[in-house]
């Protein structure tokens, strides 16, 4: 079920239907909270809707579950670091 919800969310994300995608990604995370990729995708959707605090939180979850060898790690870490710097 989590994978299906994630894929539905990904398709909605591609169509810029961010609010609907957010709902699918949240449901997917509820079913499988350990899926780092879904946290990353939810963070991207939230950033696209201006929910930067929540986006940073989801991206932090992704960073804690993945590692520096993940191909998206550096880009997401840069986003989080930049966001946190702007909050100071």
């Amino acid at each position: 079920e989590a994978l299906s919800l994630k894929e539905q969310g990904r398709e909605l994300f591609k169509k810029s239907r961010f609010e609907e995608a957010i709902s699918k990604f949240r449901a997917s995370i509820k079913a499988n909270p350990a899926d780092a990729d879904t946290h990353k995708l939810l963070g991207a959707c939230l950033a696209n809707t201006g929910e930067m605090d929540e986006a940073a939180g989801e991206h932090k979850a992704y960073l804690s579950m993945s590692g520096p060898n993940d191909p998206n790690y550096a880009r997401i870490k840069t986003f989080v670091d930049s966001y946190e710097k702007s909050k100071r």
Side-chain angles (χ1 to χ4, degrees), residues 9-78:
R10 190 185 307 269
E11 289 305 311
L12 291 164
F13 179 82
K14 288 178 187 176
K15 296 174 183 174
S16 299
R17 292 168 57 185
F18 302 120
E19 294 294 338
E20 293 168 88
I22 287 168
S23 176
K24 297 294 182 184
F25 291 140
R26 284 189 171 139
S28 179
I29 288 169
K30 187 174 181 180
N32 181 13
D35 184 351
D37 189 51
T38 307
H39 285 279
K40 178 188 72 182
L41 292 166
L42 176 55
C45 280
L46 291 163
N48 275 290
T49 62
E51 299 293 330
M52 302 309 283
D53 285 339
E54 204 172 345
E58 291 301 327
H59 282 144
K60 285 179 189 176
Y62 159 78
L63 291 171
S64 73
M65 292 177 199
S66 64
N69 293 331
D70 185 290
N72 295 296
Y73 187 89
R75 179 176 57 82
I76 300 297
K77 181 150 180 26
T78 299

